[in-house]
Amino acid sequence: MPTPTKGPRLGGGPAHERLMLANLASALFEHKRITTTVTKAKRLKPYAERLVTFAKRGDLASRRRVLGLISNKGVVHELFTDIAQAVENRDGGYTRITKIGNRKGDNAPMAVIELVLEPVSAKQAVVAEATQAAAAAAPAATEEAAEAPEAEVTETEAAETEAAETEEAPAAEEAPAEEAAAEEAPAEEAAADEAKDAK
């Protein structure tokens, strides 16, 4: 809750001030922007934002609380349907005060208070869309990635198998030649030994 302001009230008494704030809030919700003094705009801002928070809840108890403050049922209906939906993604800051200079006559500082009904941010909307697109594309990419390594492993295994077969074939051809050479070597040694013995 905002702290109460110090100094004199807006009206002549507390009841008058409550009625003034309720009427200002009703006009704000009806017209979406009003021109008033800076002091009234600053007092209206927390009051109106609290009512918008009730409208975002949307339950019956909140509607009855707002109807206790604003008597116009048409304005309350518009608040709960149109305005609440327009600001559902916004976390506070439903109103904006813009100073416009002093009023002619009594030189009172004037301001425009308006509802902020634009989307939260164009950049945040783009980021949200990109996040959703990435989340939707992630399962498909995961499946493709899971299938792709299997295919690569299969191709790699096939290449390794071919290389192993190619290496084994010459090795197999060389092995009988080596065995034959090994068998011939002892036979030659035996023949040489016999020749020495004969001499």
Side-chain angles (χ1 to χ4, degrees), residues 35-148:
T35 303
T36 183
T37 62
V38 172
T39 306
K40 287 181 184 176
K42 287 181 178 179
R43 293 294 299 276
L44 176 62
K45 185 178 176 74
Y47 186 89
E49 291 193 1
R50 188 159 184 257
L51 295 180
V52 173
T53 303
F54 284 133
K56 283 177 66 175
R57 290 183 195 166
D59 56 349
L60 182 61
S62 299
R63 188 177 290 264
R64 285 179 174 165
R65 287 189 74 169
V66 174
L67 277 169
L69 300 172
I70 298 176
S71 59
N72 190 342
K73 291 181 181 178
V75 172
V76 173
H77 176 73
E78 186 175 357
L79 172 64
F80 274 76
T81 55
D82 300 336
I83 297 172
Q85 288 179 359
V87 297
E88 64 182 352
N89 294 328
R90 186 176 293 277
D91 299 326
Y94 311 118
T95 58
R96 175 189 301 133
I97 297 175
T98 308
K99 295 180 180 179
I100 57 172
N102 294 350
R103 178 167 56 194
K104 289 184 179 178
D106 61 353
N107 205 33
M110 300 297 288
V112 173
I113 182 168
E114 59 186 340
L115 293 172
V116 181
L117 301 176
E118 301 92 25
V120 177
S121 172
K123 290 182 181 178
Q124 290 180 357
V126 170
V127 168
E129 289 177 10
T131 305
Q132 291 175 354
T142 306
E143 292 174 4
E144 291 175 4
E147 293 172 2

Side-chain angles (χ1 to χ4, degrees), residues 145-175:
E147 293 172 2
E150 291 176 4
E152 290 176 5
V153 168
T154 308
E155 293 173 4
T156 308
E157 288 176 356
E160 290 176 359
T161 307
E162 290 175 7
E165 290 174 359
T166 309
E167 290 175 4
E168 288 175 3
E173 293 172 1
E174 293 172 2

